[in-house]
Amino acid sequence: MATAVEEWVEAQARLAKPDRIVWCDGSEGEAYRLLEIGMEEEKLEGHPVFSPLNHKSWPKAYLHRSHPTDVARTEHLTFICHSDRAATGPNNNWMSPKEAKERLTHLSDGCMRGRTMYVLPYMMGHPESPYARACIQITDITYVAVSMRIMTRMGTFTLDKIRNSSNFVKGFHSVGDFSPDRRCIMHFPEENLVWSVGSGYGGNALLGKKCISLRIASWQGYKQGWLAEHMVILGIEDSKGHVTYVTAALPSACGKTNLAMMESALPGYKIWTIGDDIAWLNIGPDGRLWAINPEAGFFGVAPGTSDKTNPNMIKTLKRDLFNPTLFTNVALNPGTREPWWEGLDGPTPEYLESWQGRPWTGAEGTAAAHPNSRFTVSITNCPTLSKEYDNPQGVPISAMIFGGRRAQLIPLVTESHDWAHGVFMGARMGSETTSAAAGQTGVLRRDPMAMLPFCGYHLGDYFRHWMNIGHRLTRPPKIFSVNWFRTDENGRFIWPGFGENMRVLKWVIDRINGRVSARETPAGLVPRLEDLNLEGITVPKDRMEDLLTVDKEEWKAEVEGIREYLQKYKRRLPFEIDEQLRKMTADSE
Ligand code: SAT
Ligand code: MN
């Protein structure tokens, strides 16, 4: 008798009508067979889906060039299809499940004709973890099949877990004809289903990532009493060998990956990496919050990644424990067949092929690598991988950090007074937009908890859920906010960032352990300058003071902005947020 998985796959095949169906086992041999197919048979805009890079300098690395219109997440084409429209909130695009299914059925009918349908069984989370989820994705492009093997724990063990149950998360993916007019990424939280057509880009196509681990999982977490968050997870080891685990939420392309594997500029401290993008947080029997990283790889932004900004990522990319590694939309040095991007170490090669495969000399006035060009690499290759990465229970969290990209106003680091104030800090977050999503960059948008594009339900309900989680924690983590991105009058970053951010993390740990005091500002508690270890830092003292100062007038405008923004969620806001809003307004007057 067919299992529920087989029945579902057969039903999708009847609709998509692929020439053949291949069930993947997640093995390395299979990944290389898929790469061969992508290099030999499959074409995209006239060029192969994969081409090999220089394996002497970049072991087992392959280049993928996407369709030119398919380079970032497309939030306006992303929908939550819930029978109760109100549950999805003003933060999501909504379509009725019936209408969405009709549209998708039309778009998917025969969409895999002449193609192969790959069936990918994978786990989000360690297979032995009580918090893990079994998933099945189908796709019709090798790029997604190979990427999913890097980004998730893929293998037939998933099928052994599911057996005959229907308890698995379903993902239907087809690149369709890549047309933005026929592209949509639809989520059906009530059916544990994601259906995505028309894009091969990361967050639109690697469904285990944003679609399942955040949009679908956040809804499951809401119903079941846990949190799915857009957060890095890291361990900070001090000079005595004690490790403190923290999470940090920052919007896409704001330095989460660099933070997750930072090389500490403070002697005696070391960072251990658990995850760079997503955290699933559960309340442990000890009343603490425990985090797992459901993913198994990094899908990171290439431009700006160098030995200087993130030496451990360069090591990860050049390591050959788990392979292959993929580069998407970076530039190519055709002479050496090495990948290249803006910010990479060394001189700019004289002649390059741009991310679109065109000759590039630098005179074009455009970047050679797409600003959202990416690498896809296994977390196993990371030299700073924490020994707790595979722990099925996860790690206990002592602090949560919210961060954004703000050129002005928001201090380098701020501590909240308590859980409710901390949740409010997350809720009021703003950040200047980046190229990780289609649209204008550099505009301030409110991005609560860095979850605006990823929360699968009403943000008002989400804030209430956070407050409720707080009530159930007997040992809640402390909540902080950070901003590495303040600029001076010439638009230059004041804080050096990267490894120097350890100085801020040290203060966070000192606060957790009650070793230092703090100073009150309208935004929250900030460090006293003497409590920050600034040895060897070149930022002048008055500039440092600036970084820890909140301008009263600017803050007033900020308060107005926050109030206006949160108004959108008014009917469902928890009373605690209202209370925080009132208090903030009173304090700013
Ligand atoms: O959405 S992706 O996961 O592809 C990248 C990002 O925006 O964080
Ligand atoms: Mn992300």
Side-chain angles (χ1 to χ4, degrees):
M1 213 182 77
T3 64
V5 172
E6 285 163 348
E7 277 177 15
W8 181 73
V9 169
E10 278 159 24
Q12 308 319 302
R14 276 196 295 278
L15 173 64
K17 306 180 180 63
D19 279 15
R20 64 199 84 74
I21 302 177
V22 172
W23 287 72
C24 291
D25 62 14
S27 66
E28 191 178 319
E30 176 184 82
Y32 283 97
R33 283 195 297 280
L34 292 170
L35 279 161
E36 287 295 329
I37 294 169
M39 289 187 288
E40 305 286 330
E41 296 163 30
E42 236 178 348
K43 295 275 182 291
L44 191 69
E45 296 282 290
H47 51 248
V49 166
F50 294 116
S51 47
L53 291 165
N54 185 328
H55 288 166
K56 281 215 182 75
S57 46
W58 300 87
K60 309 284 167 63
Y62 293 80
L63 173 68
H64 169 73
R65 285 183 179 141
S66 80
H67 191 281
T69 65
D70 190 28
V71 292
R73 277 182 292 104
T74 39
E75 290 172 11
H76 61 293
L77 304 175
T78 302
F79 291 80
I80 305 289
C81 310
H82 198 288
S83 58
D84 173 14
R85 177 177 194 162
T88 64
N91 46 302
N92 282 299
N93 300 315
W94 175 84
M95 199 181 283
S96 80
K98 185 166 168 287
E99 190 187 338
K101 287 264 173 79
E102 277 167 16
R103 208 186 136 93
L104 285 163
T105 302
H106 174 69
L107 288 174
S108 309
D109 191 359
C111 67
M112 296 188 187
R113 224 175 245 129
R115 306 180 70 90
T116 302
M117 179 167 118
Y118 299 102
V119 183
L120 318 172
Y122 66 97
M123 300 291 301
M124 295 314 293
H126 190 280
E128 299 311 317
S129 172
Y131 311 128
R133 291 289 187 276
C135 313
I136 306 288
Q137 174 167 338
I138 58 171
T139 184
D140 56 359
I141 188 163
T142 52
Y143 170 69
V144 167
V146 176
S147 300
M148 285 296 285
R149 172 173 176 269
I150 301 171
M151 294 304 299
T152 73
R153 291 162 168 100
M154 189 194 289
T156 45
F157 49 80
T158 311
L159 299 172
D160 300 337
K161 283 247 146 218
I162 301 173
R163 298 173 62 189
N164 200 24
S165 86
S166 49
N167 188 12
F168 60 96
V169 190
K170 308 169 195 77
F172 178 111
H173 172 254
S174 167
V175 292
D177 62 2
F178 289 99
S179 165
D181 299 333
R182 281 178 291 283
R183 181 178 297 164
C184 48
I185 300 99
M186 307 274 200
H187 304 70
F188 300 85
E190 294 155 299
E191 293 174 52
N192 279 340
L193 166 69
V194 180
W195 194 336
S196 165
V197 179
S199 166
Y201 172 76
N204 293 340
L206 313 181
L207 303 184
K209 200 172 184 45
K210 300 307 203 289
C211 300
I212 288 173
S213 288
L214 289 178
R215 297 197 191 95
I216 297 284
S218 62
W219 171 255
Q220 288 188 350
Y222 175 55
K223 292 278 141 186
Q224 299 162 1
W226 54 283
L227 293 166
E229 296 299 325
H230 193 202
M231 290 175 169
V232 307
I233 311 169
L234 44 92
I236 307 166
E237 184 175 334
D238 65 18
S239 46
K240 298 199 181 71
H242 184 259
V243 183
T244 306
Y245 294 98
V246 311
T247 63
L250 289 107
S252 300
C254 286
K256 278 201 301 300
T257 306
N258 292 341
L259 180 64
M261 55 184 71
M262 176 214 296
E263 197 60 34
S264 167
L266 270 190
Y269 285 82
K270 181 160 175 53
I271 296 289
W272 295 105
T273 310
I274 294 161
D276 82 324
D277 197 36
I278 295 172
W280 284 356
L281 300 145
N282 283 271
I283 300 172
D286 58 357
R288 286 191 291 180
L289 209 47
W290 289 71
I292 64 161
N293 169 14
E295 298 192 283
F298 303 122
F299 181 65
V301 180
T305 306
S306 71
D307 237 346
K308 204 165 111 262
T309 60
N310 192 343
N312 288 319
M313 184 51 91
I314 298 291
K315 287 194 187 107
T316 304
L317 293 171
K318 296 207 166 196
R319 221 151 160 231
D320 191 14
L321 288 175
F322 181 106
N323 51 65
T325 292
L326 306 180
F327 289 90
T328 302
N329 291 342
V330 298
L332 173 72
N333 181 338
T336 61
R337 290 211 65 80
E338 290 179 296
W340 190 85
W341 52 82
E342 279 70 18
L344 184 62
D345 310 275
T348 305
E350 222 158 88
Y351 175 77
L352 286 166
E353 278 175 27
S354 74
W355 65 276
Q356 288 182 290
R358 304 219 178 93
W360 189 93
T361 60
E364 291 78 7
T366 53
H370 189 278
N372 194 36
S373 55
R374 299 264 172 171
F375 46 74
T376 315
V377 62
S378 168
I379 201 167
T380 314
N381 291 350
C382 178
T384 58
L385 185 65
S386 162
K387 64 178 187 351
E388 298 298 327
Y389 166 70
D390 264 334
N391 188 333
Q393 299 302 325
V395 291
I397 299 302
S398 301
M400 299 173 112
I401 300 171
F402 292 117
R405 181 183 284 272
R406 295 292 298 267
Q408 304 297 326
L409 183 68
I410 305 298
L412 181 61
V413 57
T414 322
E415 181 188 331
S416 62
H417 296 294
D418 51 30
W419 182 266
H421 184 228
V423 173
F424 181 59
M425 243 180 198
R428 74 182 190 210
M429 255 174 78
S431 194
E432 284 132 26
T433 50
T434 70
S435 57
Q440 213 186 342
T441 60
V443 227
L444 177 67
R445 83 165 176 181
R446 295 283 149 202
D447 188 352
M449 276 102 166
M451 281 290 278
L452 179 66
F454 306 122
C455 184
Y457 61 103
H458 198 299
L459 273 177
D461 292 336
Y462 171 75
F463 299 145
R464 185 153 22 78
H465 182 47
W466 263 84
M467 293 295 178
N468 289 340
I469 293 275
H471 296 315
R472 290 170 52 209
L473 291 168
T474 50
R475 296 158 73 189
K478 271 183 179 288
I479 301 180
F480 297 81
S481 101
V482 296
N483 176 26
W484 320 130
F485 299 97
R486 262 169 85 162
T487 54
D488 63 16
E489 51 291 344
N490 300 315
R492 273 190 298 253
F493 292 120
I494 300 171
W495 179 248
F498 304 107
E500 306 293 354
N501 291 337
M502 187 61 229
R503 299 172 194 274
V504 172
L505 296 183
K506 177 181 181 296
W507 185 77
V508 165
I509 294 176
D510 286 345
R511 286 294 295 167
I512 293 169
N513 294 306
R515 287 197 278 255
V516 290
S517 61
R519 194 166 57 79
E520 189 80 53
T521 74
L525 300 163
V526 302
R528 296 176 199 285
L529 213 49
E530 62 270 25
D531 291 329
L532 282 177
N533 180 332
L534 296 173
E535 240 177 87
I537 278 271
T538 53
V539 186
K541 200 163 168 240
D542 56 327
R543 287 289 181 182
M544 271 317 303
E545 295 279 8
D546 285 350
L547 286 181
L548 300 172
T549 306
V550 179
D551 182 275
K552 283 249 159 59
E553 285 312 304
E554 276 180 61
W555 183 251
K556 257 192 192 159
E558 176 80 1
V559 168
E560 254 337 286
I562 293 166
R563 192 220 293 283
E564 200 180 303
Y565 176 73
L566 289 175
Q567 204 64 31
K568 272 173 85 157
Y569 307 106
K570 193 73 191 153
R571 279 181 34 240
R572 295 200 185 212
L573 279 183
F575 76 91
E576 292 99 327
I577 292 276
D578 268 334
E579 229 168 56
Q580 294 288 334
L581 255 175
R582 257 199 309 279
K583 201 166 161 330
M584 182 178 69
T585 312
D587 288 352
S588 75
E589 265 147 20

